[in-house]
Amino acid sequence: MAKLVAVFGATGIQGGSVARALLKNPIYKVRAVTRNLDSSKAEKLKESGAEVVKADLDDKSSIDAALTGCYGVFGVTNYWEYLDKSREIQQGRNLADAAKNAGVKHVVFSGLENVKSLFGKACDHFDGKWEIEEYMAEIGLPYTSVRYSKYVENILGTLKPIKGPDGVYYLGIPVRDQPIHIISAGEAGVAIVSVFDNPSDYIGKRIGLSGDFCTVAEMAKVLTRHLSPLQFKPGNMTCEQFASLDFPGADDLAVMFEFYQSGKMVRDIELTRKLDPNTKTWEQWVVANRDQLMAIFK
Protein backbone atom coordinates (compact mmCIF):
# COMPACT_ATOMS: atom_id res chain seq x y z
CA MET A 1 0.00 0.00 0.00
CA ALA A 2 1.36 3.40 -1.01
CA LYS A 3 2.51 5.74 1.74
CA LEU A 4 0.56 9.00 1.93
CA VAL A 5 2.74 12.10 2.24
CA ALA A 6 1.29 15.56 2.89
CA VAL A 7 3.28 18.29 1.17
CA PHE A 8 2.85 21.79 2.56
CA GLY A 9 3.62 24.69 0.28
CA ALA A 10 2.86 22.37 -2.62
CA THR A 11 2.35 25.24 -5.06
CA GLY A 12 5.65 26.91 -4.04
CA ILE A 13 9.16 26.27 -5.30
CA GLN A 14 10.26 23.84 -2.55
CA GLY A 15 6.99 22.03 -1.96
CA GLY A 16 6.16 21.91 -5.66
CA SER A 17 9.44 20.17 -6.41
CA VAL A 18 8.85 17.65 -3.62
CA ALA A 19 5.29 16.95 -4.74
CA ARG A 20 6.37 16.37 -8.35
CA ALA A 21 9.17 14.02 -7.30
CA LEU A 22 6.90 12.02 -5.00
CA LEU A 23 4.27 11.71 -7.74
CA LYS A 24 6.83 9.95 -9.94
CA ASN A 25 7.38 7.27 -7.29
CA PRO A 26 4.65 4.61 -6.95
CA ILE A 27 5.68 4.00 -3.34
CA TYR A 28 3.96 7.26 -2.39
CA LYS A 29 0.65 9.03 -2.70
CA VAL A 30 0.66 12.82 -2.45
CA ARG A 31 -1.68 15.06 -0.52
CA ALA A 32 -0.81 18.54 -1.76
CA VAL A 33 -1.63 21.15 0.86
CA THR A 34 -2.42 24.69 -0.23
CA ARG A 35 -4.51 27.66 0.85
CA ASN A 36 -5.83 28.22 -2.66
CA LEU A 37 -7.53 25.22 -4.26
CA ASP A 38 -8.36 27.22 -7.39
CA SER A 39 -4.85 28.21 -8.43
CA SER A 40 -3.44 26.94 -11.72
CA LYS A 41 -0.61 25.21 -9.85
CA ALA A 42 -3.07 23.41 -7.58
CA GLU A 43 -5.05 22.31 -10.61
CA LYS A 44 -1.92 21.00 -12.31
CA LEU A 45 -1.02 18.96 -9.23
CA LYS A 46 -4.51 17.48 -9.23
CA GLU A 47 -4.16 16.57 -12.90
CA SER A 48 -0.85 14.89 -12.08
CA GLY A 49 -2.49 12.60 -9.55
CA ALA A 50 -2.20 14.47 -6.26
CA GLU A 51 -5.01 14.85 -3.78
CA VAL A 52 -5.24 18.61 -3.24
CA VAL A 53 -6.58 19.86 0.09
CA LYS A 54 -6.93 23.26 1.73
CA ALA A 55 -5.15 24.05 4.99
CA ASP A 56 -3.52 27.03 6.68
CA LEU A 57 -0.62 26.81 9.13
CA ASP A 58 -2.39 29.42 11.27
CA ASP A 59 -5.44 27.14 11.55
CA LYS A 60 -4.73 24.09 13.72
CA SER A 61 -7.95 22.27 12.84
CA SER A 62 -7.20 22.49 9.12
CA ILE A 63 -3.71 21.05 9.69
CA ASP A 64 -5.17 18.18 11.73
CA ALA A 65 -7.53 17.35 8.87
CA ALA A 66 -4.74 17.55 6.27
CA LEU A 67 -2.58 15.06 8.18
CA THR A 68 -5.23 12.42 8.78
CA GLY A 69 -3.89 9.05 7.65
CA CYS A 70 -0.49 10.39 6.58
CA TYR A 71 2.74 8.42 6.79
CA GLY A 72 4.93 11.44 6.09
CA VAL A 73 4.96 15.22 5.87
CA PHE A 74 7.10 17.71 4.02
CA GLY A 75 6.85 20.98 5.92
CA VAL A 76 7.95 24.46 4.94
CA THR A 77 7.15 27.80 6.58
CA ASN A 78 7.37 31.20 4.94
CA TYR A 79 8.86 34.01 7.02
CA TRP A 80 8.70 36.40 4.07
CA GLU A 81 4.92 36.39 3.83
CA TYR A 82 4.45 38.30 7.08
CA LEU A 83 8.04 39.22 8.09
CA ASP A 84 7.10 37.93 11.53
CA LYS A 85 9.45 35.48 13.24
CA SER A 86 7.05 34.73 16.12
CA ARG A 87 4.23 33.94 13.72
CA GLU A 88 6.46 31.64 11.68
CA ILE A 89 7.56 29.78 14.82
CA GLN A 90 3.94 29.33 15.89
CA GLN A 91 3.05 27.99 12.44
CA GLY A 92 5.88 25.48 12.71
CA ARG A 93 4.75 24.44 16.17
CA ASN A 94 1.21 24.00 14.88
CA LEU A 95 2.50 21.68 12.17
CA ALA A 96 4.72 19.75 14.59
CA ASP A 97 1.90 19.27 17.11
CA ALA A 98 -0.50 18.08 14.42
CA ALA A 99 2.06 15.61 13.05
CA LYS A 100 2.74 14.28 16.54
CA ASN A 101 -0.99 13.87 17.27
CA ALA A 102 -1.60 12.17 13.90
CA GLY A 103 1.18 9.65 14.49
CA VAL A 104 3.13 10.71 11.40
CA LYS A 105 6.17 8.46 10.97
CA HIS A 106 8.51 10.92 9.24
CA VAL A 107 8.46 14.71 8.98
CA VAL A 108 10.95 16.33 6.60
CA PHE A 109 11.15 19.99 7.52
CA SER A 110 12.82 22.79 5.60
CA GLY A 111 14.95 24.24 8.37
CA LEU A 112 17.94 26.55 8.82
CA GLU A 113 20.69 27.40 11.29
CA ASN A 114 20.57 29.54 14.42
CA VAL A 115 22.55 32.45 13.01
CA LYS A 116 22.28 34.48 16.21
CA SER A 117 23.98 31.72 18.19
CA LEU A 118 26.60 30.86 15.56
CA PHE A 119 27.39 34.35 14.31
CA GLY A 120 26.25 36.77 17.01
CA LYS A 121 23.68 38.62 14.88
CA ALA A 122 19.96 37.91 14.67
CA CYS A 123 18.71 36.68 11.29
CA ASP A 124 15.01 36.15 11.78
CA HIS A 125 14.25 34.08 8.68
CA PHE A 126 16.98 31.62 9.70
CA ASP A 127 16.60 31.71 13.50
CA GLY A 128 12.87 31.07 13.49
CA LYS A 129 13.25 27.88 11.49
CA TRP A 130 15.94 26.68 13.87
CA GLU A 131 13.53 27.21 16.79
CA ILE A 132 10.97 25.08 14.95
CA GLU A 133 13.59 22.35 14.51
CA GLU A 134 14.33 22.48 18.22
CA TYR A 135 10.65 22.21 19.08
CA MET A 136 10.29 19.14 16.86
CA ALA A 137 13.18 17.51 18.69
CA GLU A 138 11.78 18.54 22.06
CA ILE A 139 8.41 16.84 21.49
CA GLY A 140 10.03 13.68 20.12
CA LEU A 141 8.82 14.06 16.56
CA PRO A 142 10.53 11.72 14.05
CA TYR A 143 11.87 14.47 11.82
CA THR A 144 14.70 15.32 9.44
CA SER A 145 15.76 18.90 8.85
CA VAL A 146 16.83 19.68 5.29
CA ARG A 147 18.65 22.99 5.00
CA TYR A 148 18.68 24.48 1.54
CA SER A 149 21.48 26.66 0.15
CA LYS A 150 20.93 29.90 -1.76
CA TYR A 151 18.46 29.18 -4.56
CA VAL A 152 19.94 29.45 -8.04
CA GLU A 153 16.44 30.53 -9.08
CA ASN A 154 16.95 33.82 -7.22
CA ILE A 155 18.89 35.05 -10.23
CA LEU A 156 15.54 35.15 -12.02
CA GLY A 157 13.97 37.37 -9.38
CA THR A 158 15.16 38.88 -6.12
CA LEU A 159 18.86 38.73 -7.06
CA LYS A 160 18.49 39.43 -10.76
CA PRO A 161 21.66 41.02 -12.15
CA ILE A 162 21.35 44.73 -12.92
CA LYS A 163 22.44 46.10 -16.27
CA GLY A 164 25.00 48.88 -15.90
CA PRO A 165 25.52 51.90 -18.18
CA ASP A 166 28.37 49.97 -19.82
CA GLY A 167 25.93 47.25 -20.91
CA VAL A 168 27.38 44.70 -18.49
CA TYR A 169 25.09 42.85 -16.06
CA TYR A 170 26.31 43.04 -12.46
CA LEU A 171 25.50 40.37 -9.86
CA GLY A 172 24.58 42.16 -6.64
CA ILE A 173 25.32 39.31 -4.24
CA PRO A 174 27.30 40.90 -1.39
CA VAL A 175 29.67 38.12 -0.40
CA ARG A 176 32.93 39.59 -1.77
CA ASP A 177 35.19 36.78 -3.06
CA GLN A 178 33.87 34.18 -0.62
CA PRO A 179 32.43 31.07 -2.34
CA ILE A 180 28.87 30.21 -1.33
CA HIS A 181 26.70 27.12 -1.57
CA ILE A 182 23.88 27.14 -4.10
CA ILE A 183 21.17 24.72 -5.20
CA SER A 184 18.16 24.55 -7.47
CA ALA A 185 15.24 24.51 -5.04
CA GLY A 186 12.97 23.73 -7.98
CA GLU A 187 14.79 20.43 -8.57
CA ALA A 188 15.73 19.40 -5.02
CA GLY A 189 12.57 17.37 -4.52
CA VAL A 190 14.33 14.23 -5.74
CA ALA A 191 16.78 14.48 -2.84
CA ILE A 192 13.89 14.94 -0.42
CA VAL A 193 12.24 11.76 -1.70
CA SER A 194 15.49 9.90 -1.04
CA VAL A 195 15.31 11.11 2.56
CA PHE A 196 11.78 9.71 2.81
CA ASP A 197 13.04 6.47 1.25
CA ASN A 198 15.64 5.97 3.98
CA PRO A 199 14.11 7.04 7.31
CA SER A 200 16.49 5.04 9.48
CA ASP A 201 19.44 6.89 7.93
CA TYR A 202 18.04 10.40 8.24
CA ILE A 203 15.52 10.72 11.08
CA GLY A 204 17.08 12.92 13.73
CA LYS A 205 19.59 14.37 11.25
CA ARG A 206 20.11 17.87 9.91
CA ILE A 207 21.12 17.76 6.24
CA GLY A 208 22.62 20.65 4.29
CA LEU A 209 21.70 20.51 0.60
CA SER A 210 24.05 21.98 -2.01
CA GLY A 211 24.67 21.55 -5.70
CA ASP A 212 27.73 23.75 -6.01
CA PHE A 213 30.15 25.98 -4.09
CA CYS A 214 31.41 28.95 -6.07
CA THR A 215 32.26 32.64 -5.95
CA VAL A 216 30.16 35.35 -7.54
CA ALA A 217 33.01 35.94 -10.00
CA GLU A 218 32.85 32.29 -11.03
CA MET A 219 29.08 32.53 -11.38
CA ALA A 220 29.48 35.59 -13.62
CA LYS A 221 32.04 33.82 -15.82
CA VAL A 222 29.68 30.91 -16.35
CA LEU A 223 26.85 33.26 -17.31
CA THR A 224 29.10 35.12 -19.75
CA ARG A 225 30.31 31.86 -21.26
CA HIS A 226 26.87 30.49 -21.96
CA LEU A 227 24.79 33.65 -22.52
CA SER A 228 27.17 35.33 -24.96
CA PRO A 229 27.12 38.02 -26.26
CA LEU A 230 25.78 39.17 -22.88
CA GLN A 231 28.46 40.02 -20.33
CA PHE A 232 28.29 39.48 -16.56
CA LYS A 233 30.53 40.63 -13.72
CA PRO A 234 30.34 40.57 -9.92
CA GLY A 235 29.01 43.78 -8.40
CA ASN A 236 30.73 45.66 -5.60
CA MET A 237 27.80 45.98 -3.20
CA THR A 238 28.61 45.50 0.49
CA CYS A 239 26.35 43.93 3.09
CA GLU A 240 25.93 47.37 4.66
CA GLN A 241 24.73 48.78 1.36
CA PHE A 242 22.42 45.83 0.83
CA ALA A 243 20.88 46.36 4.28
CA SER A 244 19.95 49.92 3.31
CA LEU A 245 18.04 48.89 0.18
CA ASP A 246 14.44 50.03 0.16
CA PHE A 247 12.48 46.81 0.57
CA PRO A 248 11.17 44.95 3.63
CA GLY A 249 13.64 42.43 5.04
CA ALA A 250 16.74 43.84 3.33
CA ASP A 251 18.52 44.09 6.69
CA ASP A 252 17.73 40.45 7.49
CA LEU A 253 19.07 39.30 4.13
CA ALA A 254 22.21 41.37 4.68
CA VAL A 255 22.92 39.44 7.88
CA MET A 256 22.37 36.22 5.92
CA PHE A 257 25.01 37.29 3.40
CA GLU A 258 27.40 38.06 6.26
CA PHE A 259 26.70 34.60 7.64
CA TYR A 260 27.44 33.07 4.23
CA GLN A 261 30.91 34.62 4.42
CA SER A 262 31.57 33.37 7.96
CA GLY A 263 32.28 29.76 7.00
CA LYS A 264 29.79 28.60 9.64
CA MET A 265 27.12 27.54 7.15
CA VAL A 266 27.50 23.78 6.64
CA ARG A 267 26.27 22.17 3.44
CA ASP A 268 27.22 18.83 1.91
CA ILE A 269 27.56 18.50 -1.85
CA GLU A 270 28.64 14.84 -1.64
CA LEU A 271 25.62 13.85 0.44
CA THR A 272 23.31 15.86 -1.82
CA ARG A 273 24.63 13.95 -4.84
CA LYS A 274 24.14 10.69 -2.97
CA LEU A 275 20.51 11.66 -2.46
CA ASP A 276 20.17 12.81 -6.06
CA PRO A 277 23.02 11.96 -8.45
CA ASN A 278 21.54 14.37 -11.00
CA THR A 279 21.86 17.42 -8.76
CA LYS A 280 23.08 20.20 -11.03
CA THR A 281 26.15 22.36 -10.65
CA TRP A 282 25.76 26.08 -11.33
CA GLU A 283 27.05 25.62 -14.87
CA GLN A 284 24.77 22.68 -15.59
CA TRP A 285 21.78 24.67 -14.36
CA VAL A 286 22.67 27.68 -16.52
CA VAL A 287 23.06 25.47 -19.59
CA ALA A 288 19.74 23.75 -18.90
CA ASN A 289 17.96 27.09 -18.45
CA ARG A 290 19.80 29.11 -21.09
CA ASP A 291 16.71 30.04 -23.11
CA GLN A 292 14.84 31.31 -20.06
CA LEU A 293 17.85 33.30 -18.91
CA MET A 294 18.40 34.84 -22.35
CA ALA A 295 14.75 35.88 -22.46
CA ILE A 296 15.09 37.66 -19.12
CA PHE A 297 18.34 39.46 -19.81
CA LYS A 298 17.95 40.35 -23.49
Side-chain angles (χ1 to χ4, degrees), residues 2-6 28 67-73 102-107 142 195-200 203:
K3 298 176 180 178
L4 178 61
V5 178
Y28 302 102
L67 298 191
T68 301
C70 285
Y71 161 82
V73 172
V104 170
K105 302 300 183 185
H106 193 180
V107 174
V195 173
F196 277 119
D197 285 343
N198 298 280
S200 61
I203 285 177

Short mmCIF file of all heavy atoms in Angstrom, two decimals, residues 2-6 28 67-73 102-107 142 195-200 203:
data_model
loop_
_atom_site.label_atom_id
_atom_site.label_comp_id
_atom_site.label_asym_id
_atom_site.label_seq_id
_atom_site.Cartn_x
_atom_site.Cartn_y
_atom_site.Cartn_z
N ALA A 2 0.55 2.18 -0.88
CA ALA A 2 1.36 3.40 -1.01
C ALA A 2 1.30 4.23 0.27
O ALA A 2 0.28 4.28 0.96
CB ALA A 2 0.87 4.22 -2.19
N LYS A 3 2.43 4.88 0.56
CA LYS A 3 2.51 5.74 1.74
C LYS A 3 2.03 7.15 1.38
O LYS A 3 2.50 7.74 0.40
CB LYS A 3 3.95 5.82 2.24
CG LYS A 3 4.53 4.49 2.68
CD LYS A 3 6.00 4.64 3.05
CE LYS A 3 6.61 3.34 3.51
NZ LYS A 3 8.05 3.47 3.84
N LEU A 4 1.12 7.68 2.19
CA LEU A 4 0.56 9.00 1.93
C LEU A 4 1.45 10.06 2.57
O LEU A 4 1.72 10.03 3.77
CB LEU A 4 -0.86 9.09 2.50
CG LEU A 4 -1.58 10.43 2.35
CD1 LEU A 4 -1.73 10.81 0.88
CD2 LEU A 4 -2.95 10.38 3.04
N VAL A 5 1.91 11.01 1.76
CA VAL A 5 2.74 12.10 2.24
C VAL A 5 2.03 13.43 1.98
O VAL A 5 1.66 13.73 0.84
CB VAL A 5 4.12 12.11 1.56
CG1 VAL A 5 4.96 13.29 2.05
CG2 VAL A 5 4.86 10.80 1.83
N ALA A 6 1.86 14.21 3.03
CA ALA A 6 1.29 15.56 2.89
C ALA A 6 2.43 16.53 2.60
O ALA A 6 3.44 16.54 3.30
CB ALA A 6 0.56 15.97 4.17
N TYR A 28 4.63 6.20 -3.14
CA TYR A 28 3.96 7.26 -2.39
C TYR A 28 2.68 7.75 -3.07
O TYR A 28 2.55 7.69 -4.30
CB TYR A 28 4.90 8.46 -2.24
CG TYR A 28 6.19 8.12 -1.54
CD1 TYR A 28 7.37 7.94 -2.26
CD2 TYR A 28 6.23 7.95 -0.15
CE1 TYR A 28 8.57 7.61 -1.62
CE2 TYR A 28 7.41 7.62 0.49
CZ TYR A 28 8.57 7.45 -0.25
OH TYR A 28 9.74 7.11 0.39
N LEU A 67 -3.53 16.11 7.83
CA LEU A 67 -2.58 15.06 8.18
C LEU A 67 -3.24 13.73 8.53
O LEU A 67 -2.53 12.75 8.80
CB LEU A 67 -1.71 15.51 9.37
CG LEU A 67 -0.83 16.74 9.12
CD1 LEU A 67 0.16 16.92 10.26
CD2 LEU A 67 -0.10 16.64 7.80
N THR A 68 -4.53 13.67 8.48
CA THR A 68 -5.23 12.42 8.78
C THR A 68 -4.77 11.30 7.84
O THR A 68 -4.82 11.43 6.62
CB THR A 68 -6.76 12.60 8.63
OG1 THR A 68 -7.19 13.63 9.54
CG2 THR A 68 -7.48 11.31 8.96
N GLY A 69 -4.28 10.22 8.43
CA GLY A 69 -3.89 9.05 7.65
C GLY A 69 -2.54 9.16 6.96
O GLY A 69 -2.18 8.28 6.17
N CYS A 70 -1.76 10.18 7.27
CA CYS A 70 -0.49 10.39 6.58
C CYS A 70 0.66 9.60 7.21
O CYS A 70 0.80 9.55 8.43
CB CYS A 70 -0.11 11.88 6.58
SG CYS A 70 -1.07 12.86 5.43
N TYR A 71 1.48 9.03 6.35
CA TYR A 71 2.74 8.42 6.79
C TYR A 71 3.80 9.50 6.99
O TYR A 71 4.56 9.47 7.96
CB TYR A 71 3.23 7.42 5.73
CG TYR A 71 4.70 7.11 5.88
CD1 TYR A 71 5.15 6.17 6.81
CD2 TYR A 71 5.66 7.79 5.12
CE1 TYR A 71 6.50 5.90 6.97
CE2 TYR A 71 7.02 7.52 5.27
CZ TYR A 71 7.44 6.59 6.20
OH TYR A 71 8.78 6.35 6.37
N GLY A 72 3.88 10.43 6.05
CA GLY A 72 4.93 11.44 6.09
C GLY A 72 4.42 12.83 5.81
O GLY A 72 3.29 13.03 5.34
N VAL A 73 5.27 13.80 6.11
CA VAL A 73 4.96 15.22 5.87
C VAL A 73 6.21 15.93 5.38
O VAL A 73 7.30 15.72 5.94
CB VAL A 73 4.47 15.92 7.16
CG1 VAL A 73 4.32 17.43 6.94
CG2 VAL A 73 3.15 15.34 7.63
N ALA A 102 -1.12 13.06 14.97
CA ALA A 102 -1.60 12.17 13.90
C ALA A 102 -0.76 10.90 13.79
O ALA A 102 -1.11 10.01 13.02
CB ALA A 102 -1.58 12.92 12.57
N GLY A 103 0.33 10.83 14.56
CA GLY A 103 1.18 9.65 14.49
C GLY A 103 1.99 9.55 13.21
O GLY A 103 2.33 8.44 12.76
N VAL A 104 2.33 10.70 12.63
CA VAL A 104 3.13 10.71 11.40
C VAL A 104 4.49 10.07 11.68
O VAL A 104 5.13 10.34 12.69
CB VAL A 104 3.30 12.17 10.90
CG1 VAL A 104 4.33 12.24 9.78
CG2 VAL A 104 1.96 12.72 10.42
N LYS A 105 4.94 9.24 10.77
CA LYS A 105 6.17 8.46 10.97
C LYS A 105 7.43 9.22 10.58
O LYS A 105 8.52 8.90 11.05
CB LYS A 105 6.10 7.16 10.17
CG LYS A 105 4.91 6.27 10.52
CD LYS A 105 4.94 5.87 11.99
CE LYS A 105 3.78 4.91 12.29
NZ LYS A 105 3.71 4.60 13.76
N HIS A 106 7.32 10.20 9.69
CA HIS A 106 8.51 10.92 9.24
C HIS A 106 8.12 12.31 8.74
O HIS A 106 7.38 12.45 7.77
CB HIS A 106 9.20 10.13 8.12
CG HIS A 106 10.59 10.61 7.80
ND1 HIS A 106 11.36 10.02 6.81
CD2 HIS A 106 11.35 11.60 8.33
CE1 HIS A 106 12.54 10.63 6.76
NE2 HIS A 106 12.55 11.60 7.67
N VAL A 107 8.63 13.32 9.41
CA VAL A 107 8.46 14.71 8.98
C VAL A 107 9.79 15.18 8.41
O VAL A 107 10.83 15.08 9.07
CB VAL A 107 8.05 15.63 10.15
CG1 VAL A 107 8.01 17.09 9.70
CG2 VAL A 107 6.69 15.21 10.70
N PRO A 142 9.55 12.35 14.96
CA PRO A 142 10.53 11.72 14.05
C PRO A 142 10.73 12.61 12.82
O PRO A 142 9.98 12.54 11.85
CB PRO A 142 9.87 10.39 13.68
CG PRO A 142 8.39 10.64 13.84
CD PRO A 142 8.25 11.64 14.94
N VAL A 195 15.35 11.05 1.09
CA VAL A 195 15.31 11.11 2.56
C VAL A 195 14.11 10.32 3.07
O VAL A 195 14.22 9.54 4.03
CB VAL A 195 15.24 12.58 3.04
CG1 VAL A 195 15.01 12.64 4.55
CG2 VAL A 195 16.53 13.32 2.67
N PHE A 196 12.96 10.49 2.43
CA PHE A 196 11.78 9.71 2.81
C PHE A 196 12.02 8.21 2.59
O PHE A 196 11.52 7.37 3.35
CB PHE A 196 10.54 10.15 2.01
CG PHE A 196 9.85 11.35 2.56
CD1 PHE A 196 9.73 12.51 1.80
CD2 PHE A 196 9.28 11.33 3.83
CE1 PHE A 196 9.06 13.62 2.30
CE2 PHE A 196 8.61 12.44 4.34
CZ PHE A 196 8.50 13.59 3.57
N ASP A 197 12.78 7.87 1.56
CA ASP A 197 13.04 6.47 1.25
C ASP A 197 13.88 5.77 2.31
O ASP A 197 13.85 4.54 2.43
CB ASP A 197 13.79 6.35 -0.09
CG ASP A 197 12.91 6.59 -1.30
OD1 ASP A 197 11.67 6.52 -1.16
OD2 ASP A 197 13.47 6.85 -2.38
N ASN A 198 14.66 6.55 3.05
CA ASN A 198 15.64 5.97 3.98
C ASN A 198 15.49 6.58 5.38
O ASN A 198 16.42 7.23 5.89
CB ASN A 198 17.06 6.20 3.45
CG ASN A 198 17.28 5.53 2.12
OD1 ASN A 198 17.53 4.33 2.04
ND2 ASN A 198 17.19 6.31 1.04
N PRO A 199 14.35 6.38 6.02
CA PRO A 199 14.11 7.04 7.31
C PRO A 199 15.12 6.67 8.39
O PRO A 199 15.51 7.53 9.19
CB PRO A 199 12.69 6.58 7.68
CG PRO A 199 12.47 5.32 6.90
CD PRO A 199 13.22 5.54 5.61
N SER A 200 15.56 5.44 8.43
CA SER A 200 16.49 5.04 9.48
C SER A 200 17.83 5.74 9.35
O SER A 200 18.55 5.92 10.34
CB SER A 200 16.70 3.52 9.46
OG SER A 200 17.27 3.11 8.22
N ILE A 203 16.31 10.17 9.98
CA ILE A 203 15.52 10.72 11.08
C ILE A 203 16.46 11.16 12.20
O ILE A 203 17.38 10.44 12.59
CB ILE A 203 14.48 9.69 11.58
CG1 ILE A 203 13.33 9.59 10.58
CG2 ILE A 203 13.93 10.09 12.96
CD1 ILE A 203 12.28 8.56 10.93
#
